[in-house]
């Protein structure tokens, strides 16, 4: 039995996009927490918060740098494997992606570079403004990506002219509920991921009875507060999206049958119901939400009692073990959102098989698949290794913003008479 190029292209994009999303979530959340911590340090002059900015900022920069590479690699697939989609829907789908590229690669990365290399060289208020520009443009970048994805889920504001999609209503595109609700869902999901990450790393150091008790006690409180404040908005904005879910994905039986009948009349007989993997993703996502709410309730009980944040060894282990929960929830939700759209690339407009690049054979697709998977596996492993390495070092091992060592001056020799 030969290899199906379409299935390989789908699995390749699923794995690369899913992996990239894991980087994005932590980047969004950590950028916000670093910006808030730096604001506290700048306003109050707190030395411990200034050290926290350097430590958590270094972990943020590591995750951001590797995430950028995965994003670049992922986008190559649009031209390599999905030229059919670009040809038919590029006039609409490509617009928000172009805006995202401008924001992410020209604005966000530029200001991040100024923030990294401007430490102790720029006025403290200017330096603070840089990280806020980075944070806000990161969210703007995420919004444009979700506008593009939201259009795939619920195409609006366009018309078909000679077989290609033409944008007719920018407001409808930008205000698409599937994009707006998903944006706030991702926004709080990123904060939730960063909160669990910060609490888990802090729990690791407190479990080891670190000398930096005050540093990680404060970090633990920030992480827990973020988890407590973010977990319910994530659930609420996730649940609100079900109002706009395609009937074949999660609608009632009557709605699903009506949609299938409509598609059959318009496009001919086909399998218009999504595969069972979408239901598995939904169930796993719900399970992770329940566990995270439970952990947030435990954190809420512990939060007022600072001494238990330091002494509670079982609680430290719980927070370390809980770090993967938001990651699993996000990937599961993404599987439900994307797999549940099948067999459509653009729901009700363009089928996935018609979006595949013409002339892509099994051999070419196999080579591309192996190359991309190996590259992403290496990048994921490198990112995990770097995060663990720098997280274990603690604040004393943070090199972000550190001044270069000053060479000792040569001794002045007194003249001999």
């Amino acid at each position: 039995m030969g290899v199906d190029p379409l299935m390989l292209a789908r699995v390749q994009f699923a794995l690369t996009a899913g992996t990239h999303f894991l980087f994005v979530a932590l980047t969004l959340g950590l950028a916000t927490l670093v910006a808030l911590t730096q604001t506290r340090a700048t306003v109050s002059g707190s030395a411990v918060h200034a050290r926290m900015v350097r430590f958590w900022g270094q972990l943020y920069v590591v995750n951001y740098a590797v995430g950028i590479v995965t994003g670049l690699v992922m986008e190559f697939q649009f031209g390599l494997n999905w030229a059919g989609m670009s040809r038919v829907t590029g006039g609409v789908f490509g617009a928000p992606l172009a805006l995202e590229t401008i924001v992410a690669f020209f604005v966000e990365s530029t200001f991040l570079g100024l923030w990294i290399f401007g430490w102790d060289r720029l006025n403290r208020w200017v330096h603070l403004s840089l990280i806020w520009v980075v944070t806000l443009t990161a969210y703007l970048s995420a919004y444009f990506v979700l506008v593009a994805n939201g259009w795939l889920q619920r195409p609006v504001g366009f018309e078909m002219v000679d077989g290609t999609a033409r944008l007719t209503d920018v407001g409808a595109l930008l205000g698409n509920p599937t994009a707006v609700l998903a944006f706030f869902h991702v926004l709080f999901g990123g904060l939730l991921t960063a909160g669990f990450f910060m609490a888990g790393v802090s729990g690791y150091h407190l479990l080891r009875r670190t000398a930096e008790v005050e540093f990680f006690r404060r970090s633990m409180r920030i992480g827990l507060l973020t988890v407590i404040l973010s977990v319910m908005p994530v659930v609420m904005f996730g649940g609100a999206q079900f109002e706009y879910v395609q009937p074949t994905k999660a609608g009632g039986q009557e709605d699903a049958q009506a949609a299938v009948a409509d598609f059959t009349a318009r496009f001919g007989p086909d399998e218009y119901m999504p595969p069972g993997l979408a239901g598995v993703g939904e169930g796993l996502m719900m399970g992770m939400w329940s566990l995270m709410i439970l952990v947030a309730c435990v954190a809420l009980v512990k939060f007022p009692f600072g001494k238990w944040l330091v002494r509670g060894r079982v609680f430290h282990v719980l927070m370390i073990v809980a770090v993967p929960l938001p990651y699993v929830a996000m990937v599961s939700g993404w599987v439900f959102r994307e797999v549940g759209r099948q067999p459509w690339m653009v729901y009700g407009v363009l089928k996935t098989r018609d979006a595949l690049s013409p002339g892509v054979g099994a051999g070419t697709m196999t080579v591309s698949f192996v190359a991309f998977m190996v590259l992403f596996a290496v990048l994921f492993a490198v990112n995990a290794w770097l995060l663990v390495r720098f997280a274990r070092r603690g604040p004393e091992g943070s090199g972000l913003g550190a001044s270069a060592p000053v060479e000792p001056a040569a001794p002045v020799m007194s003249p001999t008479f």
Side-chain angles (χ1 to χ4, degrees), residues 94-107:
L97 289 184
L99 292 173
E100 188 273 337
T101 301
I102 293 172
V103 171
F105 294 105
F106 292 96
V107 181

Side-chain angles (χ1 to χ4, degrees), residues 59 113 276 351 357 368 407:
L59 296 176
K351 291 183 180 180
S357 297
S368 172
E407 294 293 335

Side-chain angles (χ1 to χ4, degrees), residues 386-400:
L386 289 173
L387 286 178
V388 170
R389 181 186 181 190
F390 286 111
R392 291 181 62 182
R393 283 182 177 182
E396 293 302 324
S398 177
L400 184 65

Side-chain angles (χ1 to χ4, degrees), residues 4-282:
D4 183 5
L6 175 60
M7 182 56 67
L8 273 181
R10 287 176 58 189
V11 174
Q12 176 179 308
F13 194 84
L15 292 175
T16 53
T19 304
H20 176 65
F21 185 46
L22 298 180
F23 291 93
V24 171
L26 184 58
T27 295
L28 289 174
L30 267 186
T32 308
L33 296 185
V34 169
L36 290 171
T37 304
Q38 185 167 349
T39 302
R40 172 73 180 274
T42 303
V43 172
S44 67
S46 170
V48 65
H49 283 89
R51 295 178 67 224
M52 288 166 65
V53 173
R54 294 178 187 268
F55 175 69
W56 298 110
Q58 180 167 271
L59 296 176
Y60 157 70
V61 170
V62 167
N63 191 76
Y64 175 89
V66 182
I68 281 290
V69 179
T70 62
L72 288 172
V73 174
M74 183 188 69
E75 289 187 359
F76 281 128
Q77 293 172 76
F78 287 121
L80 292 173
N81 301 338
W82 304 106
M85 181 181 69
S86 300
R87 177 179 54 81
V88 176
T89 66
V92 180
F93 179 74
L97 289 184
L99 292 173
E100 188 273 337
T101 301
I102 293 172
V103 171
F105 294 105
F106 292 96
V107 181
E108 183 183 357
S109 57
T110 299
F111 279 85
L112 179 60
L114 291 172
W115 182 74
I116 294 172
F117 298 106
W119 226 297
D120 298 327
R121 294 178 174 86
L122 298 172
N123 175 278
R124 62 193 178 109
W125 296 103
V126 173
H127 193 251
L128 173 63
S129 67
L130 293 176
I131 190 61
W132 275 112
V133 171
V134 170
T135 302
L136 296 176
T137 51
Y139 281 112
L140 190 60
S141 174
Y143 167 69
F144 284 131
V145 169
L146 290 169
V147 166
N149 182 266
W151 188 78
L152 300 182
Q153 305 287 338
R154 183 175 178 266
V156 294
F158 78 104
E159 63 179 359
M160 298 298 294
V161 179
D162 297 328
T164 60
R166 301 285 179 86
L167 182 62
T168 59
D169 191 340
V170 176
L173 178 68
L174 298 179
N176 194 342
T178 55
V180 176
L181 292 173
F183 169 72
F184 286 104
H185 184 61
V186 168
L187 185 154
F188 286 104
L191 288 171
L192 189 64
T193 304
F196 272 107
F197 179 79
M198 186 174 283
V201 172
S202 301
Y204 167 79
H205 283 279
L206 292 173
L207 184 65
R208 295 175 65 235
R209 295 296 188 253
T210 177
E212 296 280 359
V213 173
E214 182 63 15
F215 182 97
F216 286 108
R217 183 187 71 82
R218 289 177 179 268
S219 295
M220 174 69 85
R221 289 181 67 88
I222 292 175
L224 293 182
L225 182 61
T226 304
V227 168
I228 293 168
L229 295 179
S230 301
V231 66
M232 290 311 298
V234 169
V235 175
M236 291 168 56
F237 282 108
Q241 295 179 66
F242 278 86
E243 180 180 351
Y244 301 96
V245 164
Q246 301 92 338
T248 52
K249 181 190 293 184
Q253 187 173 2
E254 287 188 16
D255 292 337
Q257 290 176 348
V260 170
D262 177 59
F263 290 150
T264 302
R266 292 165 53 198
F267 300 96
D270 202 344
E271 179 53 64
Y272 290 108
M273 294 300 293
L277 184 60
V280 174
E282 181 184 13

